[in-house]
Amino acid sequence: MKVTENLWYVARVRIGAEENVRLRCQEQISSELLKDCYVFHYEEKRHIYGEWIIREKILFPGYVFLIAEEKEVEKIDEELRHVKGAIELLRIDDEPAILTDKEVELLRAFGGCGQKVELSEGVIERSKVRIFSGPLVGKEKYIRKIDRHKRRAVLEMSFLGKMQRVQVGLEIVSKM
């Protein structure tokens, strides 16, 4: 398993505190240790009071992504214990879990520079989904379920050695 120079770790945090923990990590953990940290969001379209509104929701509730060098992970783990709302670094077999290059590329492809999965649009033709705009273009293979009423798609992908399901915004503009 090949990984990038700066490794991506995952911190478990209190659900609802993701953005606060991200900000606290940036403030409290030295930039020499922590290169960056992210909370990924997705856009969804909601019908509220007769208007369609695009809202942002957290893609991975309860998680903050930390980028650091491998040699610094134990120091970051120690510093993370002092960040209010943070629980722990996610571990696999007692070792800090590290995202693979493929997982990092997928997150970057979905979220782009803003760590936000924008709303995608597509059609259903003869029971096949075809996405024509947004970050899901070319990634139809990850779609497991579509809720046209709520304008969401459930994606399934390998993440930290397990199959994970996440939901993102998807508007199906026609079905043939």
Side-chain angles (χ1 to χ4, degrees), residues 74-123:
E74 292 308 321
K75 291 178 188 171
I76 286 181
D77 194 21
E78 181 61 35
E79 298 266 336
L80 194 61
R81 294 168 206 253
H82 303 289
V83 175
K84 185 178 179 186
I87 298 171
E88 64 186 355
L89 274 182
L90 196 61
R91 295 183 176 273
I92 297 175
D93 297 329
D94 243 6
E95 293 294 318
I98 302 169
L99 297 185
T100 65
D101 281 347
K102 186 177 179 180
E103 291 167 339
V104 170
E105 287 172 24
L106 191 58
L107 283 175
R108 285 186 171 149
F110 280 136
C113 295
Q115 297 84 47
K116 178 172 58 177
V117 181
E118 294 177 347
L119 189 67
S120 294
E121 291 185 337
V123 295

Side-chain angles (χ1 to χ4, degrees), residues 21-55:
V21 169
R22 181 188 68 80
L23 292 171
R24 285 189 180 112
C25 284
Q26 288 178 325
E27 292 169 0
Q28 293 177 233
I29 300 175
S30 162
S31 61
E32 291 177 13
L33 297 177
L34 182 65
K35 302 304 178 198
D36 214 340
C37 59
Y38 301 116
V39 172
F40 284 88
H41 295 86
Y42 70 95
E43 291 181 340
E44 74 171 8
K45 212 172 198 182
R46 298 293 301 241
H47 196 247
I48 300 174
Y49 299 115
E51 256 186 273
W52 285 103
I53 297 170
I54 294 180
R55 294 176 39 183

Side-chain angles (χ1 to χ4, degrees), residues 42-46 55 57 119 136 143 145-155 166-172:
Y42 70 95
E43 291 181 340
E44 74 171 8
K45 212 172 198 182
R46 298 293 301 241
R55 294 176 39 183
K57 294 188 102 175
L119 189 67
L136 291 182
I143 298 173
K145 180 181 173 187
I146 294 174
D147 184 336
R148 290 182 65 203
H149 178 71
K150 292 186 177 178
R151 290 168 169 74
R152 289 188 207 146
V154 175
L155 309 180
V166 294
Q167 58 186 17
V168 295
L170 173 63
E171 176 140 26
I172 298 296

